[in-house]
Every structure is written in C-alpha cells, then in structure tokens.
Amino acid sequence: MNYFQNHITDVTNVLVIGCGGAGLRAAIEVKAQNLSVKVLGKRSKYDAHTVLAAGGINASFGNLDSEDSWLHHFADTYQEGYGIGDPKLIEIMAKNSLEAVSEIDKWGANLEKLNNGKLNQRFFGAHSFRRTCFSGDYTGYSILQALLKKAKSLKIPIFDSEYVSSLLIKENSCFGAMSINTISGERTTHLADSIILCTGGHTKIWKRSSSRKQENTGDGLYLSLKAGCELIDMEMVQFHPTGMLFPEEMAGTLVTEAVRGEGGRLTNSSGKRFMQDYDPERMELSTRDQVAIANYTEIVEGRGTKNGGVFLDISHKKKDFIISKIPKIYRQFIESQMLDISKEPMEVAPTAHYSMGGIKVNSEDHSTKIRGLFAAGEVAGGLHGANRLGGNSLAEILVFGKIAGKHASEYSRNIKIIKRSNDSIKKAHEEIDSLIKKGSELVVCLQADLSETMWKYCGVIKDEQNLNEGLRKVNNLENLSSSLEVNIGDNNIVDLINTLNFKASLITAKTTIKSAIERKETLGAHNRSDYPHKKNYSTYNLLSNFSNGDISIKKINTNEIKPELEYFLKNRLKASESAHKFLE
C-alpha cells in the first residue's frame, strides 16, 4: 500500500485534540496569539462532555461570604485532596479562576447574578464558603455555548467527526496526529508545531458511569502513553455520590451536586438522614468521596432502596425554588420517571464520574515529557489529588486551557526546526490496518465485559483479591482482543472506532488497576477495605509508564508546597460554619 497517497495532509501551527471546554479555550488563546489553530473532536461540538458539569464553577469572589479568598480556595482543594495534589497547579487555578469566570460570563455564559449585579454563588461539598458560580443546573452547557460562540467569532475551524488514532512522534517530539473521519473513514495526517490534548478521562469503562456513549473511553490517556508520556495517580477515580438508577438506559446519569448544594437531604430506606453517621458537621456537603462511600455503605449493608440506591430529597423546598435553581434535574426526573422531585425523593447511587489522575504535566505551562505536546482538562492529572471538589472541573478547563494554549503558541513561535518522520506516519497507518480483519469476537461484547469487570473488581470500594482478579480478567480480554472481527464494508467504520476505543480502554483499565494495587492504603476516592483509613496517611504520587506493551508503576514524592502556603494551612481559622448552619 502507498500510505502517502492514502490520506489527506493538513498543516497548522497548533493542533488541539478535543472540542470540549478545555480544547475550545486553548484554541481561543492560540488565536489570540495570532497563530493558526485547528480543533479535532470525535463527538458533536455542541454536546461535549463539558455539558455534564452542571452545578457550577468555582471562583473565590466572596460575593456572599466576604471572608473567602484564593487562599481558602487553595486550602480547600489541597486539603480535601489529601495533600497529594500538585500545590503549584492548585495555586494557579485558585488565583486565575476569578478572571476566567468573569471572562466566560462576559462571553455569554449568563451566570446568575445577585440584585447588586455581582455573580451569585452557592455551596458545593467541602468548600468553606459559597464560591460556586452557576447558571441554574446547566452551567457546563452555558459555558460550552459561550466558548463555541467565541470560537465562531474568531473563525476557528472545528472538525468534530475526527477520531485521533495516533500521535506522530520523532525523537521524543510530537509533530502531529493521524485521524480517521468517523463518517467516511477517510484518514488525515495533521502536521503541527505543537499539539494540545484535551480529550477527557476514562470513566466510561465502568458499567455505571455519568459519561455517555463514545466519550471518556481513555483514548487521550492511551495516546499519551503510546507517545511516551507518564500518567500520574491513575487509581484516583471519582465516583460521584448521586447517579440515576433507572430506567436502564439512564443508569449512572448524573444528578448534580447542586441538588445537595441547594439543600437536598440523603436518607436511607428507614428514613434516617444517615450522613450524620459519616460527617455530622458537613452532612450532605461533605467531600464527594465521603458521600459516595456513605451512599455505597448504606446500600451494601441493606439499608438502601428496593432499586439498590438511597433517597435524595429536596421536596422540603418550594417548587418554584426547585424549578429556579435546578430546572434541568426537575425535567430529567419528570421525563425519565414521571417523578416530581418537588413532591417525592429521587433514588440515587454512586456512579463513575471523573478521572482525577491523568497525564503528568509541568505545573507552569502544562507541557508533557514529549516536546511540543501539551495537555489540559480532565486528561491532565495532578490538580485534584485524591478527591476533586465539585465546581473545580469547569475552573480547571478554562484556566489551564488558556495556559496550555498560550505556551503551545510560544513553543510553536520559537521552534527553529521541526523534524517529521514518514516512518511514523506509515506506522500510524499500519496500526489502523492491522485492526481490520476477520475474527471470532465482537467488540461490543468485550466492551460490556470490561465495564462489568471494572465495576465489580475496581469500584467504589476495593481490596487486593478483587483487584488481582480484575487484572486477570482485563488481561484475558486483552488476549481476546487479538481475535476481534472488524468489518469496514460499505464505509461502515463503527467497528473500527469501537475497537480503537476498546484498545484505549483496556490499557487505561490495566493502568488504573495496577495503580490501585500499588497504593496499599485508603486515601480519598481510593478506598481499600483491606487497608482502613488512617489519620496519619503517607503522601506520594504514583507514576505509570508504558513500554514493551505493558504498564509499570513507581512511587515518587509529591511536589513541595511553598512555606507561606503551608503556614496558612496550619494556621487558618476553622472554616466558616455557615455551610453547616445552611443545612439545618
């Protein structure tokens, strides 16, 4: 085959992979630097995963609680992440989120305002103050629409039917990517001076997940591993406490934290408000890891609902209040269950929600180990540590999307020579071609087996025996994947795209399980029943590398915190008790 006649070639200064919030913000910044930029996505740009971050975005304006500051935002994020998050990343987010939120509101996010014209702010779990700005319970959607509008005004090209199968690497430098059009199957070689990965996480590989079909399958993480990047803390996967249970096609669908932020109460089948047994001070506004574990414990110990969940009740609030503050959730339950949440409680259970681990990036510029390759958003690790605070994900995509865009532009502008490799392009073609063959296995069946395996053996609560069994099953699925049937007749490339997703999911599943085995302790979202939680836990990060077809894990020290920030953490007064009073 003549590989160099079998694809289109396109050239740009900066290539952005992923058309969600982080990718769009990165592209907007590149355009502001007067360089050419192109955005690739595998899902509709109007329905990126960003829309599921519904409850709000954090910035320490202090519009309702004047004591708040970026220092408190830093402290909450660092401490509730159990001290393993990168303090520099956290500081950058906490400081820059104010400008980012003000900017996106000016661009049309239409965040809710107080009577004095300032942004309204609500409570989210484990925040000391009301710092979460919001548009009802559809904040991510509002932010995505504002970014799309801005990108359109700047004439940024967005191609949202392109699946990136490989990054193109020569001598530890990234010079582009290979993509497949998800409709026609046509391949394109994208040549660029610098590349920014904004592809999201890997939570769709769990059976019950807040992600939708064809998103968060781990493809960006896999691309980076193949390229030679390191992943950090892949065992740290956040299970959101409240996902829907039924109907079956909506199992795992997110019930935003805004419900609890606006006063929602959790009860078990006996009507007991059980968070008093787990976190009596913060109750439903505890950290996500604690609320998820509480919900899970109530269910497995027999105090759950008939459908295998717990109750989330906001019916003590007035209907007008509910429709005003959480209109999307109100409609979601009416339309899916004919349940009026102003009259009856919802049934919810934990759902895989967010990859807190990800690509190890440089704190200052979000560069990776590979020259010319940057990463931002959920695909990048290090910010959240062992527990992500609600509202930080939208702040993260705006703050670090901009930073990655700025530094990728600088790299592109300053690079003297960029080496490219026909061998790398040929290899990318060969990887695709090797998958198209007759076989005895169907990818949809293996995908289902993988998600069942991850849910059963690497779920909310883990132990060594189950993790080892899960790893064995994943290895078996990897062996079976060599016998996959992939048919692209009549330009139907669904099998091929599903197979690429599945290969990525297998490697990220293996990385997650191996990291979970290595961290022999309970820490935040990583709950090991064979290692009960200790107050004096150790702090370290786990790095994952991919070589010779397998994953290796090693421990490294966490990044040092500035002395003045450490002093603030030790000496700040006890956080405001207003959240606790709010719940009474």
Side-chain angles (χ1 to χ4, degrees):
M1 180 183 294
N2 188 339
Y3 297 103
F4 307 106
Q5 293 179 359
N6 193 42
H7 65 266
I8 301 168
T9 299
D10 197 42
V11 182
T12 188
N13 290 129
V14 181
L15 178 68
V16 177
I17 303 172
C19 59
L24 292 174
R25 186 61 191 87
I28 289 166
E29 186 60 25
V30 175
K31 198 72 172 180
Q33 301 290 327
N34 294 315
L35 294 179
S36 63
V37 63
K38 177 172 55 177
V39 181
L40 306 180
K42 66 174 185 175
R43 282 179 59 92
S44 168
K45 61 187 177 183
Y46 301 108
D47 192 35
H49 188 66
T50 305
V51 302
L52 296 186
I57 179 169
N58 297 327
S60 54
F61 290 110
N63 292 340
L64 291 171
D65 299 314
S66 59
E67 314 99 294
D68 200 10
S69 69
W70 77 263
L71 284 165
H72 284 292
H73 190 183
F74 169 88
D76 288 341
T77 303
Y78 182 77
Q79 290 178 324
E80 301 300 346
Y82 294 82
I84 69 167
D86 182 340
K88 185 60 180 176
L89 284 174
I90 298 169
E91 179 184 350
I92 291 170
M93 181 201 66
K95 283 181 173 177
N96 288 276
S97 60
L98 294 96
E99 179 185 355
V101 172
S102 297
E103 179 181 69
I104 200 66
D105 188 55
K106 289 177 183 175
W107 289 355
N110 194 29
L111 301 174
E112 185 170 305
K113 310 297 191 300
L114 297 164
N115 290 335
N116 62 8
K118 293 181 179 181
L119 294 174
N120 197 359
Q121 298 185 277
R122 63 170 38 136
F123 278 118
F124 253 33
H127 289 280
S128 300
F129 304 99
R130 289 171 285 186
R131 68 167 64 102
T132 305
C133 307
F134 60 93
S135 297
D137 59 350
Y138 49 90
T139 313
Y141 175 83
S142 294
I143 286 174
L144 183 67
Q145 293 304 306
L147 290 168
L148 286 168
K149 181 181 176 182
K150 184 69 173 178
K152 184 178 181 180
S153 74
L154 296 172
K155 296 183 171 59
I156 294 172
I158 303 171
F159 302 92
D160 56 359
S161 299
E162 295 292 324
Y163 188 104
V164 174
S165 60
S166 292
L167 296 175
L168 303 175
I169 307 294
K170 181 177 175 61
E171 296 177 5
N172 206 47
S173 293
C174 188
F175 66 89
M178 172 75 71
S179 76
I180 307 166
N181 186 279
T182 59
I183 299 170
S184 68
E186 189 174 53
R187 302 178 194 179
T188 302
T189 299
H190 305 271
L191 303 179
D193 303 326
S194 58
I195 294 86
I196 309 174
L197 280 174
C198 302
T199 50
H202 71 311
T203 50
K204 188 58 183 173
I205 68 175
W206 278 266
K207 181 180 180 181
R208 184 173 287 160
S209 169
S210 61
S211 298
R212 289 86 52 88
K213 190 176 181 181
Q214 300 288 13
E215 68 182 13
N216 289 335
T217 53
D219 39 304
L221 298 166
Y222 178 50
L223 287 173
S224 69
L225 276 174
K226 282 200 302 178
C229 294
E230 296 171 317
L231 304 185
I232 188 169
D233 295 338
M234 283 296 289
E235 75 283 7
M236 293 302 175
V237 177
Q238 183 169 75
F239 289 83
H240 196 286
T242 54
M244 293 182 71
L245 285 163
F246 60 92
E248 180 62 31
E249 63 271 16
M250 293 194 72
T253 299
L254 191 66
V255 179
T256 172
E257 189 168 321
V259 177
R260 287 180 286 125
E262 296 294 351
R265 298 169 179 170
L266 290 164
T267 58
N268 59 24
S269 57
S270 301
K272 180 180 179 180
R273 198 172 169 190
F274 57 81
M275 281 307 299
Q276 66 191 42
D277 296 334
Y278 300 89
D279 190 342
E281 183 176 345
R282 297 183 295 189
M283 296 290 283
E284 286 84 4
L285 292 181
S286 183
T287 56
R288 286 183 172 178
D289 61 305
Q290 291 301 310
V291 181
I293 290 166
N295 289 358
Y296 185 83
T297 302
E298 292 297 306
I299 295 163
V300 299
E301 291 186 358
R303 297 183 294 276
T305 68
K306 64 179 182 180
N307 292 304
V310 293
F311 291 116
L312 175 59
D313 192 4
I314 198 167
S315 63
H316 53 281
K317 296 284 189 178
K318 292 182 179 179
K319 186 171 185 175
D320 288 347
F321 175 89
I322 293 170
I323 294 174
S324 170
K325 297 297 184 183
I326 49 171
K328 186 171 175 288
I329 291 296
Y330 180 81
R331 289 182 63 90
Q332 184 171 304
F333 277 88
I334 288 283
E335 292 171 356
S336 64
Q337 298 179 8
M338 283 305 294
L339 178 77
D340 185 343
I341 65 172
S342 70
K343 298 177 181 177
E344 299 178 72
M346 301 157 262
E347 288 185 65
V348 296
T351 180
H353 180 56
Y354 200 90
S355 305
M356 295 180 292
I359 302 169
K360 189 177 188 303
V361 293
N362 178 279
S363 307
E364 297 287 348
D365 61 10
H366 266 237
S367 62
T368 70
K369 274 186 68 176
I370 305 302
R371 290 189 298 275
L373 182 62
F374 299 77
E378 189 176 354
V379 76
L383 175 66
H384 306 291
N387 176 60
R388 180 177 72 82
L389 296 189
N392 274 352
S393 62
L394 289 175
E396 173 185 20
I397 62 174
L398 295 182
V399 169
F400 294 116
K402 179 179 180 178
I403 287 172
K406 178 178 183 290
H407 289 282
S409 298
E410 288 180 0
Y411 182 91
S412 175
R413 184 177 288 112
N414 294 327
I415 192 169
K416 297 282 192 294
I417 298 173
I418 183 163
K419 294 183 179 180
R420 294 169 178 162
S421 165
N422 284 341
D423 285 343
S424 182
I425 297 170
K426 180 181 177 182
K427 183 181 177 183
H429 277 294
E430 289 173 341
E431 284 186 10
I432 298 169
D433 292 337
S434 69
L435 300 176
I436 303 167
K437 61 184 188 301
K438 295 286 186 182
S440 57
E441 301 289 341
L442 295 178
V443 68
V444 290
C445 298
L446 298 193
Q447 282 174 322
D449 286 347
L450 178 63
S451 63
E452 187 75 50
T453 295
M454 292 303 288
W455 186 258
K456 184 174 181 180
Y457 299 102
C458 188
V460 180
I461 297 179
K462 311 164 183 70
D463 62 58
E464 185 125 7
Q465 182 177 345
N466 276 316
L467 287 168
N468 283 323
E469 178 63 13
L471 183 60
R472 185 187 70 79
K473 287 180 176 291
V474 169
N475 286 332
N476 287 343
L477 288 170
E478 189 172 23
N479 292 333
L480 288 173
S481 69
S482 63
S483 301
L484 281 170
E485 165 106 12
V486 179
N487 188 344
I488 59 169
D490 299 321
N491 286 329
N492 181 2
I493 64 161
V494 174
D495 271 3
L496 177 59
I497 299 302
N498 283 342
T499 299
L500 287 164
N501 275 332
F502 180 62
K503 283 176 65 68
S505 297
L506 276 173
I507 297 302
T508 51
K510 185 185 292 190
T511 308
T512 301
I513 294 176
K514 283 195 166 187
S515 297
I517 291 170
E518 182 65 30
R519 190 177 288 276
K520 301 182 188 304
E521 62 180 342
T522 287
L523 192 71
H526 177 67
N527 194 290
R528 289 279 299 261
S529 60
D530 47 349
Y531 291 95
H533 177 70
K534 296 179 181 178
K535 288 187 177 180
N536 296 319
Y537 50 84
S538 53
T539 54
Y540 57 88
N541 298 118
L542 291 177
L543 278 190
S544 306
N545 288 277
F546 185 54
S547 60
N548 299 319
D550 203 5
I551 298 293
S552 61
I553 311 292
K554 68 176 181 179
K555 289 183 181 181
I556 61 169
N557 294 328
T558 55
N559 287 350
E560 290 186 5
I561 186 171
K562 291 179 179 178
E564 59 268 31
L565 290 175
E566 189 170 27
Y567 178 84
F568 178 80
L569 292 176
K570 290 179 178 178
N571 294 280
R572 74 167 177 159
L573 296 175
K574 186 173 175 62
S576 169
E577 295 182 355
S578 54
H580 184 61
K581 292 176 181 176
F582 173 78
L583 287 167
E584 292 177 349

